[in-house]
């Protein structure tokens, strides 16, 4: 059973988050803090109590934009502790996702918080913790297998809602640290998947690496340009540079595509 601390300076949001956490059977206890300073005091007591003590906290559900010490500041402070609680950010702003995951956050949940999405965040906290526990005794409940994702779509979050983007609609992918930004004709979406993983997963679907930062869909390449020894591709109105190490493979693939 997880022991949770929810941190949010907006009282209605905090009360709603605590209500949803307490309704989850994997949460043994959930308490709230109205700002990061109060949360830090509470976490210090938890660390002094020890991982099995009465004050212990397993996970902090943390808002980002708060007066004074904000959520990112608190997460940075926790990163300096020997055995800090896990962190799940809960925020109305998508813009801080890369910074949040750079701080080793387990998940990034957008407001308004949906019960199903919060349950997924709790699962991401609970599963690694359960895996670190001693092996289950004979007769315990078996672990439910995780099914493979739909190969034709990828799940993205937008405004607190999980949507499924068709892979065929993705024109190119841009690396952003441990994340990738998926570009379509209608906009872009940030996902917590390294570019190398998507390259391997989508190679058979016509995606090819053209640069350490870019993966492109061959079918969406409008032009291949050569200018003073520099190669680039045109995708819609965007021009992307092709690195020297990927130029030959790209030209071969495009030639086979046009002559096949």
């Amino acid at each position: 059973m997880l022991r949770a601390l929810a941190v949010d300076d907006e009282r209605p949001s905090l009360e709603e988050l605590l209500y949803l956490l307490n309704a989850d059977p994997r949460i043994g206890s959930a308490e709230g803090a109205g700002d990061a300073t109060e949360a830090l005091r509470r976490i210090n007591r938890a660390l002094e109590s020890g991982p099995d003590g009465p004050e212990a906290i397993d996970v902090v559900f943390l808002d980002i934009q708060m007066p004074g010490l904000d959520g990112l500041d608190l997460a940075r402070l926790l990163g300096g502790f020997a055995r800090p609680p896990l962190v799940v950010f809960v925020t109305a702003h998508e813009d801080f996702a890369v910074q949040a995951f750079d701080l080793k956050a387990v998940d990034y949940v957008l407001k308004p918080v949906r019960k199903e999405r919060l349950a997924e965040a709790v699962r991401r906290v609970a599963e690694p913790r359960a895996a670190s526990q001693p092996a289950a005794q004979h007769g315990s409940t078996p672990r439910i297998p995780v099914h493979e994702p739909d190969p034709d779509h990828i799940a993205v979050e937008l405004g607190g809602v999980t949507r499924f983007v068709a892979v065929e609609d993705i024109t190119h992918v841009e690396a952003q640290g441990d994340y990738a930004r998926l570009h379509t004709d209608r906009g872009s979406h940030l996902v917590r998947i390294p570019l190398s993983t998507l390259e391997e997963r989508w190679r058979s679907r016509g995606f090819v690496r053209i640069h350490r930062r870019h993966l492109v869909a061959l079918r969406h390449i409008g032009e291949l340009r050569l200018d003073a020894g520099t190669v680039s591709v045109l995708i819609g109105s965007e021009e992307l540079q092709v690195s020297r190490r990927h130029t030959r493979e790209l030209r071969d693939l495009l030639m086979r595509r046009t002559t096949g």
Side-chain angles (χ1 to χ4, degrees), residues 173-176 195 209-215 246:
V173 187
E174 180 182 3
Q176 294 189 346
L195 190 67
R209 191 74 163 258
I210 64 166
H211 190 275
R212 62 182 178 84
R213 291 191 57 216
H214 291 114
L215 182 70
H246 294 104

Side-chain angles (χ1 to χ4, degrees), residues 33-46:
D35 58 51
T37 302
E38 179 186 350
L40 186 58
R41 287 195 293 265
R42 176 63 186 85
I43 293 167
N44 276 322
R45 294 204 307 271

Side-chain angles (χ1 to χ4, degrees), residues 150-166:
D150 177 0
D152 296 324
H153 296 80
I154 184 168
V156 301
E157 265 200 37
L158 184 63
V161 177
T162 300
R163 303 183 187 277
F164 294 90
V165 175

Side-chain angles (χ1 to χ4, degrees), residues 112-141:
V113 180
R114 295 180 298 112
K115 179 180 178 181
E116 296 81 3
R117 181 64 185 86
L118 187 63
E120 169 62 15
V122 173
R123 182 193 68 77
R124 293 182 182 182
V125 172
E127 283 194 349
R129 185 171 179 271
S132 67
Q133 301 298 320
Q137 299 297 317
H138 178 70
S140 62
T141 303

Side-chain angles (χ1 to χ4, degrees), residues 86-251:
L86 299 175
V87 172
V88 172
F89 283 103
V90 183
T91 177
H93 306 279
E94 185 185 81
D95 300 344
F96 301 104
V98 172
Q99 296 176 63
F101 286 120
D102 283 344
L103 292 169
K104 310 303 181 186
V106 175
D107 205 349
Y108 192 91
V109 179
L110 291 175
K111 297 178 181 179
V113 180
R114 295 180 298 112
K115 179 180 178 181
E116 296 81 3
R117 181 64 185 86
L118 187 63
E120 169 62 15
V122 173
R123 182 193 68 77
R124 293 182 182 182
V125 172
E127 283 194 349
R129 185 171 179 271
S132 67
Q133 301 298 320
Q137 299 297 317
H138 178 70
S140 62
T141 303
R143 195 172 168 190
I144 299 173
V146 178
H147 296 286
E148 289 296 316
D150 177 0
D152 296 324
H153 296 80
I154 184 168
V156 301
E157 265 200 37
L158 184 63
V161 177
T162 300
R163 303 183 187 277
F164 294 90
V165 175
V167 174
E168 66 179 16
D169 291 339
I170 298 170
T171 60
H172 61 290
V173 187
E174 180 182 3
Q176 294 189 346
D178 291 333
Y179 311 89
R181 184 165 291 280
L182 313 177
H183 292 268
T184 72
D185 290 337
R186 294 181 293 278
S188 68
H189 308 279
L190 191 67
V191 294
R192 192 187 180 187
I193 305 175
L195 190 67
S196 58
T197 299
L198 293 177
E199 178 185 9
E200 182 178 349
R201 184 184 299 177
W202 291 345
R203 184 178 292 116
S204 63
R205 303 182 69 94
F207 283 80
V208 60
R209 191 74 163 258
I210 64 166
H211 190 275
R212 62 182 178 84
R213 291 191 57 216
H214 291 114
L215 182 70
V216 302
L218 290 173
R219 62 185 170 277
H220 288 289
I221 294 177
E223 293 181 13
L224 180 67
R225 297 179 172 179
L226 179 62
D227 182 17
T230 300
V231 179
S232 62
V233 293
L234 192 66
I235 299 181
S237 60
E238 189 167 0
E239 187 173 356
L240 303 176
Q241 185 176 349
V242 182
S243 66
R244 289 186 178 181
R245 63 175 296 195
H246 294 104
T247 297
R248 186 168 190 173
E249 179 189 8
L250 176 63
R251 294 180 70 171

